[in-house]
């Protein structure tokens, strides 16, 4: 431990802070899009139209059945094939939103399905459509059950964003790696990197506890 | 198409679960204003008949016709063109249903449990829906409990909210599936009173019940079911004094011996 280079730590902090900003930007965007995609897909998974539920199931199946890293590469290389030229930043946002959306869809679906079947029957009995029953009866009751796994997913999202270093987005992990390549101090940098993630994720956990407490 | 004189016509209704007919070719015609008590042993298919009427359960066979309208779809050239889910939902509005376990919406106050149907389904503005809901709750004597959630209400109160919730949709037929079976004995009376009140106002009802005294006093007609079939369809007076079938006699004997355990004279 006596070879620990404190100098490189002080040197690195400003760069990592810049990387952390990018990480937070991407995570925040992916959180918003992923939540919108996920809640929509989760609600649609209970649709009374077979085709829609099949599409949602295929989506969730794919997201859960493939590594996030593969999804990142796939989005990065596949989108241009479809004529969508995105910056690597936005490719990253798309990939993470796509990934989070799949997991959130599953969270929402199981939350909705955990509500007693009698609630759905009562909704039907007063003439509600399937959609009305989901929106006005099941969703409000499942919100409290959905929130904890949902905030968990946001934390996973921040961690997954480190994968985007592979498509040359200078987020937090990539920023650290760039310094390692120049200064050959992997231990110091990865230790510092871990601290950065810990601080961000602890802050997020506190925030989610607060949100959950407000909802309870 | 000849117009049916009946408010509700059930023809050849069957429901088959994995090869077993739990409801087996049931025919039942109900005229406006009739109060049909449905009794029978556990597993007879009573709940399933009720649930098929408003299509919470999809019948395997048979027709349900409510006020001349087929609940499954529109007949065309001798065949039935099935309704869309939205059309089914629209037809269901006309039928109120009260469940054994109340099934009140757990996240809503008593008032909003009653108001949500008119508001969301019929498009009544919320303020107006709530005003009408308050009147419905007043009718079941729950004015003081309007702001409470279901968990804060007794079983009897919950069931009265559930009745108000169904009535708020202005149904032309009410279905009750053992409305007092989940209640403590001292709470049964308040719910039966409300149902009796409805009967007096002329509401057409099908009531599945184990309350024999109530069935006898309030029913205008009595249907005894066993093994998925209607065994006896008669007046309560005749059923309880001169049952025509062995199954009925056996059932009554068992019910009487059970009740005497509560009431040893
Ligand atoms: N969803 C289902 N799947 C399979 N079998 C079912 C289903 N619902 C009901 N059954 C069976 O159908 C039969 C009739 O049930 P039903 O609930 O209609 O009887 P019931 O007369 O209402 O009895 P109880 O007095 O106990 O309420 C029972 O044997 C039951 O096990
Ligand atoms: Mg039953």
């Amino acid at each position: 431990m006596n070879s620990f280079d404190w100098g490189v730590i002080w040197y690195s902090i400003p760069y990592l802070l810049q990387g952390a900003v990018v990480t937070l930007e991407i995570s925040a965007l992916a959180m918003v899009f992923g939540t919108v995609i996920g809640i929509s897909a989760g609600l649609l998974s209970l649709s009374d139209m077979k085709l829609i539920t099949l599409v949602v199931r295929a989506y969730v199946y794919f997201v859960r059945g493939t590594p996030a890293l593969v999804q990142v590469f796939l989005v990065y290389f596949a989108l241009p094939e479809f004529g969508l030229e995105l910056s690597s930043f936005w490719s990253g946002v798309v990939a993470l939103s796509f990934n989070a959306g799949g997991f959130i869809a599953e969270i929402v679906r199981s939350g909705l399905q955990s509500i007693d079947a009698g609630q759905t029957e009562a909704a039907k009995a007063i003439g509600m459509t399937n959609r009305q029953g989901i929106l006005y009866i099941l969703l409000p009751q499942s919100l409290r059950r959905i929130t904890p796994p949902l905030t968990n997913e946001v934390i996973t999202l921040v961690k997954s964003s480190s994968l985007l270093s592979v498509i040359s987005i200078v987020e937090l992990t990539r920023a650290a790696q760039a310094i390692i390549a120049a200064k050959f101090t992997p231990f110091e940098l990865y230790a510092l990197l871990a601290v950065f993630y810990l601080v961000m994720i602890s802050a997020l956990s506190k925030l989610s506890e607060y949100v959950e407490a407000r909802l309870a | 198409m000849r117009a049916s004189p009946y408010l509700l016509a059930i023809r050849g209704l069957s429901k088959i679960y994995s090869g077993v007919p739990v409801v087996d070719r049931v025919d039942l015609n109900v005229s406006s204003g009739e109060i049909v008590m449905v009794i029978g042993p556990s597993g007879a298919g009573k709940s399933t008949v009720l649930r098929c009427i408003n299509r919470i359960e999809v019948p395997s066979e048979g027709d349900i016709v409510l006020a001349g309208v087929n609940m499954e779809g529109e007949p065309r050239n001798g065949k039935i063109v099935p309704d869309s889910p939205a059309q089914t939902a629209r037809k269901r509005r006309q039928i109120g249903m009260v469940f054994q376990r109340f099934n009140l919406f757990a996240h809503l106050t008593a008032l909003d449990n009653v108001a949500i149907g008119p508001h969301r389904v019929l498009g009544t503005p919320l303020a107006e829906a709530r005003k009408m809901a308050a009147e419905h709750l007043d009718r079941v004597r729950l004015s003081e409990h309007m702001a409470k959630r279901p968990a804060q209400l007794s079983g009897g109160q919950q069931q009265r909210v559930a009745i108000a919730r169904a009535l708020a949709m202005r149904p032309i037929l009410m279905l009750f599936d053992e409305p007092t079976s989940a209640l403590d004995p001292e709470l049964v009376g308040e719910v039966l009173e409300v149902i009796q009140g409805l009967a007096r106002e002329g509401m057409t009802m099908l009531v599945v019940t184990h309350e024999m005294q109530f069935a006898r006093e309030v029913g205008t007609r009595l249907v005894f079911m066993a093994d998925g079939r209607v065994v006896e369809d008669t007046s309560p007076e005749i059923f309880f004094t001169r049952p025509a079938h062995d199954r009925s006699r056996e059932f009554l004997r068992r019910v009487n011996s059970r009740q005497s355990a509560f009431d040893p004279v």
Side-chain angles (χ1 to χ4, degrees):
Chain A
M1 281 299 284
N2 48 9
S3 64
F4 196 89
D5 184 351
W6 287 99
V8 78
I9 298 277
W10 305 128
Y11 167 82
S12 305
I13 285 177
Y15 294 104
L16 292 205
L17 279 174
Q18 280 176 23
V21 169
V22 176
T23 287
L24 286 176
E25 278 172 359
I26 291 186
S27 301
L29 286 167
M31 183 188 85
V32 171
F33 294 134
T35 305
V36 170
I37 295 171
I39 290 181
S40 315
L43 294 173
L44 288 174
S45 69
L46 295 192
S47 162
D48 43 23
M49 291 169 76
K50 268 258 146 40
L51 183 65
I52 292 179
T53 64
L54 266 169
V55 170
V56 173
R57 250 202 283 162
Y59 166 51
V60 172
Y61 177 74
F62 181 82
V63 168
R64 298 217 301 180
T66 54
L69 185 62
V70 174
Q71 293 165 17
V72 169
F73 276 128
L74 209 55
V75 167
Y76 186 61
F77 291 112
L79 287 187
E81 296 288 323
F82 293 102
L84 251 170
E85 296 285 347
L86 291 181
S87 65
S88 47
F89 179 91
W90 284 103
S91 293
V93 171
V94 170
L96 285 189
S97 307
F98 177 81
N99 177 271
F103 284 101
I104 293 171
E106 199 53 15
I107 290 168
V108 171
R109 186 195 57 79
S110 63
L112 294 172
Q113 287 187 332
S114 72
I115 305 298
D116 176 43
Q119 297 285 307
T120 303
E121 289 180 3
K124 278 187 186 174
I126 57 169
M128 284 196 179
T129 59
N130 184 47
R131 191 183 62 86
Q132 291 171 324
I134 291 170
L135 284 181
Y136 304 131
I137 306 302
L138 298 186
L139 185 62
Q141 291 188 51
S142 57
L143 274 187
R144 209 176 300 168
R145 284 180 215 184
I146 289 174
T147 317
L150 199 64
T151 53
N152 237 338
E153 183 54 36
V154 172
I155 287 168
T156 306
L157 191 65
V158 174
K159 291 194 258 182
S160 307
S161 70
S162 70
L163 295 173
L164 301 181
S165 57
V166 300
I167 53 170
S168 65
I169 298 175
V170 189
E171 41 65 71
L172 185 51
T173 298
R174 178 85 177 196
Q177 287 169 340
I179 300 172
I180 294 170
K183 303 261 173 191
F184 312 109
T185 50
F187 175 52
E188 285 81 354
L189 261 295
Y190 279 119
L192 185 60
L193 186 58
V195 171
F196 263 80
Y197 277 113
L198 268 177
V199 168
M200 289 197 300
I201 284 168
S202 305
L204 264 176
S205 300
K206 276 274 165 276
L207 188 69
S208 67
E209 272 169 36
Y210 172 76
V211 171
E212 277 166 38
R214 294 276 320 249
L215 268 175
Chain B
M1 278 288 291
R2 189 169 48 89
S4 164
Y6 299 108
L7 180 73
L8 173 71
I10 303 175
R11 298 192 206 108
L13 174 68
S14 294
K15 178 68 189 183
I16 296 164
Y17 286 119
S18 41
V20 183
V22 302
V23 173
D24 192 4
R25 287 162 290 168
V26 163
D27 295 300
L28 194 65
N29 291 321
V30 180
S31 300
S32 197
E34 275 193 296
I35 295 134
V36 182
M37 297 289 171
V38 182
I39 65 174
S42 181
K46 308 178 296 291
S47 300
T48 307
V49 167
L50 253 51
R51 295 158 60 82
C52 283
I53 291 174
N54 67 355
R55 290 188 82 77
I56 280 183
E57 216 74 73
V58 179
S60 307
E61 259 166 69
D63 289 321
I64 310 282
V65 181
L66 180 71
V69 177
N70 191 304
M71 291 295 290
E72 184 183 359
E74 299 313 313
R76 207 164 291 156
N77 307 329
K79 279 201 183 140
I80 300 226
V81 183
D83 285 332
S84 68
Q87 285 168 313
T88 301
R90 182 174 280 272
K91 288 181 180 177
R92 263 196 206 113
R93 291 177 196 171
Q94 306 206 78
I95 305 174
M97 187 168 205
V98 174
F99 302 87
Q100 183 174 350
R101 303 222 56 93
F102 329 132
N103 296 348
L104 288 185
F105 302 130
H107 62 303
L108 297 178
T109 61
L111 185 70
D112 283 343
N113 261 278
V114 182
I116 193 167
H119 176 50
R120 295 296 188 185
V121 177
L122 303 178
T124 311
L126 184 59
E128 195 183 323
R130 282 188 169 147
K131 193 167 146 275
M132 283 174 357
E135 287 163 16
H136 281 288
L137 285 173
D138 192 40
R139 266 181 70 187
V140 294
R141 289 173 292 109
L142 284 174
S143 300
E144 282 125 66
H145 304 286
M146 294 197 298
K148 290 187 182 165
R149 297 278 175 95
Q152 299 168 291
L153 296 170
S154 76
Q157 291 167 339
Q158 288 188 59
Q159 195 61 301
R160 285 184 280 147
V161 175
I163 294 171
R165 174 177 69 180
L167 292 175
M169 296 301 291
R170 308 211 170 281
I172 58 175
L173 172 71
M174 284 287 288
L175 308 174
F176 293 86
D177 190 359
E178 298 196 32
T180 59
S181 293
L183 298 179
D184 293 335
E186 72 271 20
L187 301 178
V188 168
E190 62 189 56
V191 172
L192 293 185
E193 258 171 53
V194 169
I195 300 175
Q196 187 166 18
L198 271 179
R200 269 194 226 105
E201 290 165 29
M203 175 64 79
T204 313
M205 309 193 264
L206 260 78
V207 187
V208 175
T209 184
H210 288 308
E211 298 291 331
M212 295 304 143
Q213 196 58 35
F214 172 72
R216 188 168 180 169
E217 278 172 24
V218 179
T220 60
R221 188 168 155 195
L222 193 134
V223 168
F224 173 70
M225 282 188 70
D227 300 327
R229 302 202 183 174
V230 172
V231 175
E232 219 161 314
D233 181 355
T234 179
S235 79
E237 205 43 46
I238 290 178
F239 181 82
F240 286 108
T241 53
R242 298 176 302 260
H245 292 80
D246 288 344
R247 284 302 299 264
S248 319
R249 279 189 283 273
E250 188 201 335
F251 176 78
L252 283 174
R253 208 173 317 122
R254 223 177 299 151
V255 170
N256 287 336
S257 67
R258 194 171 55 208
Q259 282 185 341
S260 65
F262 284 108
D263 192 18
V265 184

